[in-house]
Amino acid sequence: MIMNGLELAEAFWWERGYPALCELMDDAIDRVAAGMVGEGSECFGFDDRYSRDHHWGPAFCLWLTADDMHTWAAPLQKLYTSLSKEGFGGFDPRIDDEMSATRVGVQSIPTFYHRHLGVSDTPPDLSVWRTIPEESLAVATNGKVFVDRLGEFSRIRDELLRYYPEELRLRRLADGCFKAARSGQYNLARARKRDHVVTSFGSLARFIDEMTRAIYTLNRCYRPFYKWAHQGLRMLPRSGAVMAESIEHLLALWAHTSGKPNKQMLQQVDDCALLLVDELLSEGLTDEREPWLLSHCDKIMLHIDGISCKG
C-alpha cells in the first residue's frame, strides 16, 4: 500500500520507469541517476492527504551529467512524459505548473545543484558554505536516490550529507547558544517585567527557532523550511523528540499566560536549554551543566581554536 509521495515515486520508477528504460533505452541505464530529491513535502516524507491538491502524484527525477544531456535529455524526457501521462497506484497523473515542472523529469546534475546551492558541485571552502541557506542544503539532500550506476549525482550528494565543515558547525552551535540565551533567557524575562506582550512573543519565537536549529546541528542534519522544521525535529535521534515535546509544553504554558510569561514558563525555557546543554556535554563541548546558555559559547569556541591549530 502506498503511504506517501516518496514511496509512490519509488514504486513508479521500479514498476514503470526502470522497465521502460531497460526496454527502450538500454544504453542510457548506466548513465542516468533516478530518484526523488528536491522541493516539495513528498521529498522530505512529510506529505499527507492535504498535500495532494497540487504538485503531487506519480513522478520521479532523472539526472544526467552536462555532457550526457546533449545525447540523452530529449529522448529520456520524451519517455518520461509518455509514462507520466498515465496514473499509477490508484493516483491520477501529477499536474505541475510552469514553476514546478522542473522539479521532476530529466535534469542536469550541475544545474540541479546550482539551482539549490548556487554552486554546481560541492562547496569549495567555508566562505561558500556560509552563503548557502540551510533550507537549500536540506532540499538538495532530502528524498532518496533509487539508482545511480555512474555515481556522479551521488558523489556530490554524499559529500553534502557529511554536513558542514566542523569549524562552521561549531560556530553555528556557539551562535545558537548566544541567540537563544539573549532571546529566551534574557529578553523574554525583561519583556515580562515591562508587560511587552509583542516583544515577549518575538523573544519566545526566536528562542524556539534557535533551540530547533541547535538540535539539528548537533544531529548533523540540515534543518528544512520552517513549515517542516518541527515535524522533522521529532525524527532526529539525538534529543529531537524530547526537545519537540519540551517546546510544545512551553507553547502550552504561553497559551495560558495570555502573552505574559510567568515563572513556570521561564523555568521551562531553562529546561529546554538544559536539553541542549546535555548534548553539548555528551560531545565534550562544555564541562558544566549550567542552563545559562551564554556561558557555553566560549567553551564551544575553544574547540574551533583547536581545529585551527591542527590545520
Side-chain angles (χ1 to χ4, degrees):
M1 178 180 178
I2 301 299
M3 299 299 292
N4 59 33
L6 193 56
E7 293 175 343
L8 178 63
E10 186 167 15
F12 186 45
W13 161 251
W14 288 115
E15 294 182 33
R16 294 275 182 86
Y18 182 72
L21 195 62
C22 289
E23 179 183 355
L24 302 174
M25 296 182 63
D26 185 54
D27 291 345
I29 193 65
D30 289 332
R31 308 296 303 178
V32 66
M36 179 61 85
V37 180
E39 298 170 286
S41 57
E42 72 275 18
C43 294
F44 287 99
F46 295 154
D47 54 303
D48 54 24
R49 61 191 178 93
Y50 301 111
S51 307
R52 299 176 184 178
D53 61 344
H54 68 294
H55 309 161
W56 194 95
F60 49 80
C61 305
L62 296 168
W63 298 284
L64 294 167
T65 65
D67 289 340
D68 283 344
M69 286 289 288
H70 299 293
T71 304
W72 299 112
L76 271 176
Q77 185 61 42
K78 182 178 180 180
L79 177 60
Y80 175 81
T81 300
S82 69
L83 295 173
S84 61
K85 286 181 178 179
E86 302 177 11
F88 175 79
F91 296 99
D92 293 331
R94 176 179 172 124
I95 299 177
D96 284 301
D97 54 30
E98 185 176 345
M99 292 183 63
S100 64
T102 56
R103 294 182 181 181
V104 295
V106 178
Q107 306 174 47
S108 160
I109 294 172
T111 299
F112 171 86
Y113 284 111
H114 192 276
R115 182 168 72 245
H116 296 302
L117 308 180
V119 289
S120 57
D121 209 306
T122 55
D125 51 45
L126 282 178
S127 65
V128 177
W129 274 103
R130 291 190 182 101
T131 67
I132 305 174
E134 184 177 13
E135 64 185 50
S136 297
L137 286 160
V139 165
T141 56
N142 63 15
K144 186 176 181 180
V145 177
F146 309 144
V147 63
D148 184 8
R149 294 179 183 174
L150 185 64
E152 180 62 12
F153 183 85
S154 296
R155 176 187 65 79
I156 301 172
R157 174 182 173 87
D158 291 346
E159 188 62 31
L160 293 171
L161 285 171
R162 292 179 187 274
Y163 202 59
Y164 292 111
E166 184 63 2
E167 178 181 342
L168 183 53
R169 186 184 80 95
L170 294 176
R171 288 188 184 279
R172 290 172 62 83
L173 281 173
D175 180 66
C177 286
F178 176 79
K179 290 177 178 177
R182 185 173 60 180
S183 58
Q185 296 177 299
Y186 180 74
N187 284 327
L188 183 62
R190 291 177 73 83
R192 172 200 177 203
K193 293 176 181 178
R194 291 171 173 149
D195 200 24
H196 289 176
V197 176
V198 174
T199 301
S200 295
F201 180 79
S203 298
L204 178 63
R206 184 61 175 269
F207 175 77
I208 291 172
D209 186 63
E210 293 300 335
M211 285 290 96
T212 301
R213 179 166 73 109
I215 295 299
Y216 272 93
T217 303
L218 284 163
N219 278 272
R220 291 174 170 80
C221 179
Y222 302 116
R223 183 178 62 170
F225 183 56
Y226 75 91
K227 183 169 69 171
W228 304 115
H230 188 73
Q231 185 171 349
L233 180 65
R234 285 193 160 277
M235 301 177 182
L236 299 177
R238 292 183 57 186
S239 295
V242 67
M243 179 62 81
E245 292 172 3
S246 188
I247 287 172
E248 290 166 10
H249 182 47
L250 181 58
L251 287 174
L253 292 173
W254 167 266
H256 286 90
T257 64
S258 301
K260 299 178 181 180
N262 55 25
K263 290 182 178 180
Q264 185 182 5
M265 184 177 169
L266 296 177
Q267 179 59 54
Q268 183 61 24
V269 165
D270 280 348
D271 289 346
C272 285
L274 282 173
L275 291 174
L276 175 56
V277 172
D278 286 340
E279 288 294 347
L280 296 175
L281 281 165
S282 72
E283 276 201 26
L285 296 176
T286 190
D287 57 8
E288 62 177 333
R289 196 172 188 269
E290 161 62 48
W292 176 234
L293 290 172
L294 200 61
S295 67
H296 301 283
C297 296
D298 288 343
K299 296 178 180 183
I300 296 172
M301 294 297 287
L302 286 174
H303 292 268
I304 297 175
D305 295 337
I307 293 172
S308 300
C309 290
K310 290 179 182 177

